[in-house]
Amino acid sequence: MKPFIAPSILSADFANLGQEVSAVLKAGADIIHFDVMDNRFVPNLTIGPMVCQSLRDYGISAPIDVHLMAEPVDNLILDFSKAGANYISFHPEASKHVHRSLNLIRENNCKAGLVFSPATPLTWLEHLIDDIDLILIMSVNPGFGGQSFIESSLKKISTTREIIDNSGHDIRLEVDGGVKIKNIQKIAAAGADTFVAGSAIFNSDDYEKTISAMKAEIKAAKN
Ligand code: DX5
Ligand code: ZN
C-alpha cells in the first residue's frame, strides 16, 4: 500500500486554515488528518463538520481523514459524510454499538476506521476485522498535539500488522501521536503505512522539506 503522510491540522494556524491545508498538500501531503474533540471524550475542544465543509468549499479536494475523539459518534458520522469526509474513525469506547457505527460509515460511502488508544486492547478486532478499512493506533493518549511518542506502541503496531496480513483485507495501518522525522523510520518498519504528524509538520519552517524527509525515512525502512 502506498505510504500516506497525513498532516494533523490540530497544529495548523486555524486563522488561516484553508491556506495551511493547501500549503501542506503542495508540500507533498497525501491526506488531511482532521481531529475532532468534544471536551467530554477527551479534555479538549476543536472543530466539527462545518469546518470540514468549509475546507471543501475553499477548494480542498484531497482525502479528509476524520478522527473522532467525541461521543456519541453516529450523528457525527452522518454529518461528516455530508460535509465531505473520506475516512471516518472513532474509538470503540465512544460507541455503544461499534459494529453498527462502522457499518454506518460504510453505508455513507466513507472508509471506516477504528482507533486504539494506548490502553485499548486489539481484541476488539477479533469480531470486527471484516468491517474495517483503517486501523488507527494511537501512540499518545488522545487529546493534545505535541506529546511524546510512547515506545511500547511499536509492538502494538507490529501485532496489528500481523492481524491485517492474516485477514487478507486491504486495511490501512495509521499511527497518530509524536511522529517525527527521527522516529518515522522505525514506525514504518513496524508495519505502519499511514503517518499522522501534527506538530512535526506545522511547527516546522519548511513543510516541503519536512514531508520529503519523512518520505525518505519511510523509504529507507523498506530497504
Ligand atoms: C492527538 C491527535 C493527533 C495530534 C498529533 O489526540 O489525535 O492527531 O494532532 O499531534 P502530534 O503529531 O503533534 O503528536
Ligand atoms: Zn488524530
Side-chain angles (χ1 to χ4, degrees):
M1 218 174 267
K2 181 183 182 278
F4 280 175
I5 299 287
S8 161
I9 58 174
L10 188 62
S11 291
D13 174 5
F14 276 109
N16 294 295
L17 193 56
Q19 284 125 286
E20 286 273 77
V21 170
S22 299
V24 286
L25 289 169
K26 193 160 165 263
D30 301 284
I31 62 174
I32 297 301
H33 188 77
F34 192 108
D35 286 305
V36 181
M37 305 186 186
D38 66 351
N39 192 40
R40 177 180 153 140
F41 185 73
V42 290
N44 199 357
L45 184 64
T46 61
I47 45 177
M50 283 176 8
V51 176
C52 186
Q53 184 65 58
S54 298
L55 289 175
R56 289 300 184 217
D57 294 344
Y58 183 80
I60 301 298
S61 59
I64 295 181
D65 170 35
V66 172
H67 174 192
L68 297 177
M69 287 158 277
E71 61 185 335
V73 297
D74 289 358
N75 60 323
L76 291 172
I77 289 167
L78 297 176
D79 292 347
F80 271 105
S81 67
K82 288 192 199 101
N86 300 86
Y87 294 84
I88 303 177
S89 303
F90 65 91
H91 293 246
E93 300 90 342
S95 172
K96 286 211 170 77
H97 304 286
V98 176
H99 180 270
R100 177 186 289 156
S101 300
L102 286 168
N103 282 292
L104 188 63
I105 298 173
R106 283 184 165 178
E107 281 159 20
N108 284 278
N109 303 314
C110 291
K111 302 266 192 206
L114 201 60
V115 191
F116 294 82
S117 290
T120 305
L122 294 172
T123 46
W124 285 96
L125 293 172
E126 278 171 26
H127 304 285
L128 296 168
I129 197 78
D130 297 337
D131 305 285
I132 288 178
D133 303 296
L134 176 145
I135 296 170
L136 172 44
I137 301 296
M138 294 231 50
S139 38
V140 297
N141 284 291
F144 301 95
Q147 304 179 79
S148 299
F149 184 86
I150 298 171
E151 288 299 320
S152 60
S153 315
L154 289 170
K155 175 85 183 61
K156 202 171 182 184
I157 295 162
S158 54
T159 306
T160 309
R161 168 49 57 203
E162 280 171 31
I163 294 171
I164 292 174
D165 290 348
N166 291 336
S167 78
H169 294 310
D170 278 337
I171 297 173
R172 280 207 167 262
L173 176 44
E174 183 172 40
V175 175
D176 184 5
V179 176
K180 311 276 177 207
I181 296 170
K182 69 172 190 305
N183 62 11
I184 201 166
Q185 187 179 137
K186 62 182 177 187
I187 298 169
D193 53 43
T194 306
F195 306 86
V196 177
S199 51
I201 294 174
F202 284 106
N203 293 354
S204 74
D205 295 333
D206 186 335
Y207 298 165
E208 208 271 321
K209 215 170 141 192
T210 304
I211 293 173
S212 301
M214 287 179 161
K215 288 187 172 174
E217 291 288 331
I218 294 166
K219 220 171 181 178
K222 287 190 180 149
N223 297 329

